[in-house]
Amino acid sequence: MPRRRIGFWYRFAAVICKPPLVVLIKRDWRGMEHIPAEGGFITAVNHNSHIDPFAYAHFQYNTGRVPRFLAKSGLFKKGFVGAAMRGTGQIPVYRETTDALSAFRAAIDAVERGECVAFYPEGTITRDPDQWPMTGKTGAARVALQTKCPVIPVAQWGANELLPPYAKKLNLRPRKTHKVLAGPPVDLARFYDKEMTPDLLKEATEVIMAAITAQLEEIRGEKAPKTPYDPRQERIEQRRRTAAQNRQAQPKAEQEKAEQEEGQGT
């Protein structure tokens, strides 16, 4: 696969990040043939560790098509971090805009320039108890349908064993293996040239997430739950449980108050 111009900042980041990654984790990488050699595209990747962006970036750096990750626009403004983010071509997301497509304008521009934009459709590290992909947000689908670019589903596993989700301490022994499996492009043609309604974007996102999950099933050698974990629904259920507990506790509190008042009156 021909290598595109990577640039000073990305090579500088690779010099810093690759040696510790090589020491800490072994690699079992498959599917590089599905990474397009030319043209803009999206990779849609599952997220299960604070360090998997570095491990995944190592995989894609070795394909010759470096990923441009999306990040909050505030990270691009000041200091060394801002210079590195701009220098490596990362993509600012302007969340303050009220126009959903404008929020991803830089990502759309990058794809149209022939770059790779890496999306974590879940938006955060998975909260699924068994670390399967959760329901996804619609940003990757928005950009894909706007640009009609290929969407490559990518599953990874292993960085989460080195640093489990939301953990703060590395689990160094035994040495872990970072497994990556990139699949063929997701077929989104049936969604093209249609109004990007919430229902259409939700359906396209579900197709993308199903493709990622299928790749992860192959890596793990087991089946994912039929229904993906939905953090929004879990929050709703948690609020309902809390409200029910409060309703149960209220009569007891009122009874104790009445007993106290009765005791004070005798």
Side-chain angles (χ1 to χ4, degrees), residues 190-257:
R190 66 184 180 276
F191 302 110
Y192 292 163
D193 301 319
K194 295 182 179 180
E195 182 183 357
M196 283 195 277
T197 63
D199 286 344
L200 181 134
L201 289 168
K202 181 176 182 290
E203 186 179 353
T205 299
E206 288 172 351
V207 171
I208 293 170
M209 295 308 300
I212 298 170
T213 301
Q215 300 297 111
L216 188 56
E217 287 178 333
E218 184 171 341
I219 287 177
R220 294 177 61 172
E222 54 186 303
K223 296 296 290 184
K226 290 185 178 180
T227 303
Y229 181 89
D230 186 342
R232 180 176 176 273
Q233 187 62 38
E234 179 60 27
R235 288 193 295 270
I236 292 172
E237 292 299 325
Q238 181 60 47
R239 286 196 293 269
R240 288 175 179 168
R241 290 192 292 267
T242 301
Q245 291 169 357
N246 290 340
R247 286 194 298 269
Q248 292 174 356
Q250 188 173 5
K252 183 177 179 180
E254 290 175 350
Q255 181 180 354
E256 290 175 348
K257 181 179 180 181

Side-chain angles (χ1 to χ4, degrees), residues 30-57:
R30 293 177 287 153
M32 285 188 178
E33 68 275 12
H34 295 301
I35 302 297
E38 298 293 336
F41 66 101
I42 287 171
T43 55
V45 193
N46 67 306
H47 194 10
N48 54 23
S49 173
H50 285 299
I51 63 172
D52 70 42
F54 300 98
Y56 170 69

Side-chain angles (χ1 to χ4, degrees), residues 40 42 70 91 100-115 117 119 139 142-147 149 196:
I42 287 171
L70 281 79
I91 308 293
L101 270 179
S102 294
F104 294 99
R105 184 71 252 174
I108 293 170
D109 290 344
V111 169
E112 291 177 343
R113 288 196 307 270
E115 300 286 355
V117 178
F119 273 87
R142 287 180 185 276
V143 175
L145 298 185
Q146 178 72 15
T147 61
C149 70
M196 283 195 277

Side-chain angles (χ1 to χ4, degrees), residues 117-132:
V117 178
F119 273 87
Y120 283 121
E122 297 161 277
T124 187
I125 293 174
T126 182
R127 294 186 180 274
D128 179 87
D130 294 317
Q131 301 179 46
W132 290 103

